[in-house]
Amino acid sequence: MHFIGVDVVSDNGKERVYKIESDIEVATLILNKDSLTTSINGFTDTLKYLMSKKFIDDLIINSYKKNPEQKSFTYGRG
């Protein structure tokens, strides 16, 4: 189905930690709010078979810039 579910787990002012979930696995993504860079722990199969890291980075960063108060969202076709 190619979906991604995103939930904010924590936010300490400098970094925001997300739980990201795809069709096949769950991972943690950390967004550095100053530099707008990300790191992903896990998601090996999703990045290999379903979505590129650039796509996920763009999705998270653009969502954060558009609405920093948003705590969860889902993207994909179902």
Side-chain angles (χ1 to χ4, degrees), residues 3-7 9 17-29 40-47 50 56:
F3 83 92
I4 182 170
V6 180
D7 294 300
V9 176
V17 178
Y18 295 90
K19 173 184 157 193
I20 54 176
E21 184 175 357
S22 74
D23 295 35
I24 56 178
E25 62 192 330
V26 177
T28 302
L29 181 142
I40 299 176
N41 300 318
F43 248 36
T44 305
D45 289 338
T46 298
L47 295 174
L50 300 179
I56 293 171

Side-chain angles (χ1 to χ4, degrees), residues 2-63:
H2 300 271
F3 83 92
I4 182 170
V6 180
D7 294 300
V8 174
V9 176
S10 66
D11 188 333
N12 68 10
K14 289 190 174 236
E15 293 182 333
R16 181 174 279 188
V17 178
Y18 295 90
K19 173 184 157 193
I20 54 176
E21 184 175 357
S22 74
D23 295 35
I24 56 178
E25 62 192 330
V26 177
T28 302
L29 181 142
I30 300 169
L31 170 67
N32 180 306
K33 293 166 42 172
D34 293 331
S35 64
L36 294 178
T37 56
T38 67
S39 63
I40 299 176
N41 300 318
F43 248 36
T44 305
D45 289 338
T46 298
L47 295 174
K48 185 174 182 181
Y49 298 113
L50 300 179
M51 301 171 190
S52 69
K53 180 166 184 326
K54 180 180 179 352
F55 174 80
I56 293 171
D57 286 350
D58 289 346
L59 182 67
I60 299 290
I61 292 167
N62 289 334
S63 174

